[in-house]
Amino acid sequence: MPDILVTTTENIPGRQYEVIGEVFGLTTQSKNLIRNIGASLKNVVGGEIRDYTNMLDEARNVAVDRLRQNAVNMGADAVVMMRFDSGSIGTDMQSVAAYGTAVKFI
């Protein structure tokens, strides 16, 4: 994976840059049927559903990796103002988008 700075802040201390444009990384993931049954059972008794937590963690990592790759493809040195957005698709799929502004150092 490319070594590119990704930050949630607008400014990078000590660096000046020009904006290249918007950049994003997107993934949609689901768990297998057996794990979905286990999650349904956990839903009855309450508590954290670790398989879904792990799925979201993995999805966020994949989305950021894709954001980085897209920024590199645009010729960027960094991404500022990175944010996440997520949503459910059906009952067992989760979509995660990482987005921000690709910048080039001056």
Side-chain angles (χ1 to χ4, degrees):
M1 184 48 39
D3 187 25
I4 184 169
L5 176 65
V6 175
T7 181
T8 59
T9 62
E10 183 177 0
N11 296 310
I12 302 170
R15 301 305 301 251
Q16 291 185 330
Y17 54 80
E18 60 185 10
V19 171
I20 296 175
E22 66 181 45
V23 65
F24 68 94
L26 180 65
T27 186
T28 301
Q29 300 199 4
S30 70
K31 286 295 177 191
N32 65 40
L33 180 61
I34 302 300
R35 291 189 179 195
N36 283 339
I37 291 170
S40 296
L41 293 173
K42 186 67 170 184
N43 194 28
V44 172
V45 297
E48 180 180 10
I49 302 171
R50 286 193 179 100
D51 284 329
Y52 284 122
T53 300
N54 292 338
M55 178 182 70
L56 283 171
D57 186 50
E58 179 183 343
R60 286 172 65 117
N61 290 333
V62 169
V64 171
D65 287 346
R66 290 180 179 169
L67 170 118
R68 280 189 167 104
Q69 188 60 59
N70 286 337
V72 167
N73 293 347
M74 294 172 68
D77 294 317
V79 176
V80 296
M81 298 296 293
M82 193 279 296
R83 300 288 187 264
F84 286 108
D85 191 15
S86 65
S88 296
I89 300 172
T91 58
D92 63 348
M93 289 183 280
Q94 193 72 27
S95 178
V96 175
Y99 61 95
T101 302
V103 299
K104 183 83 174 157
F105 293 141
I106 298 174

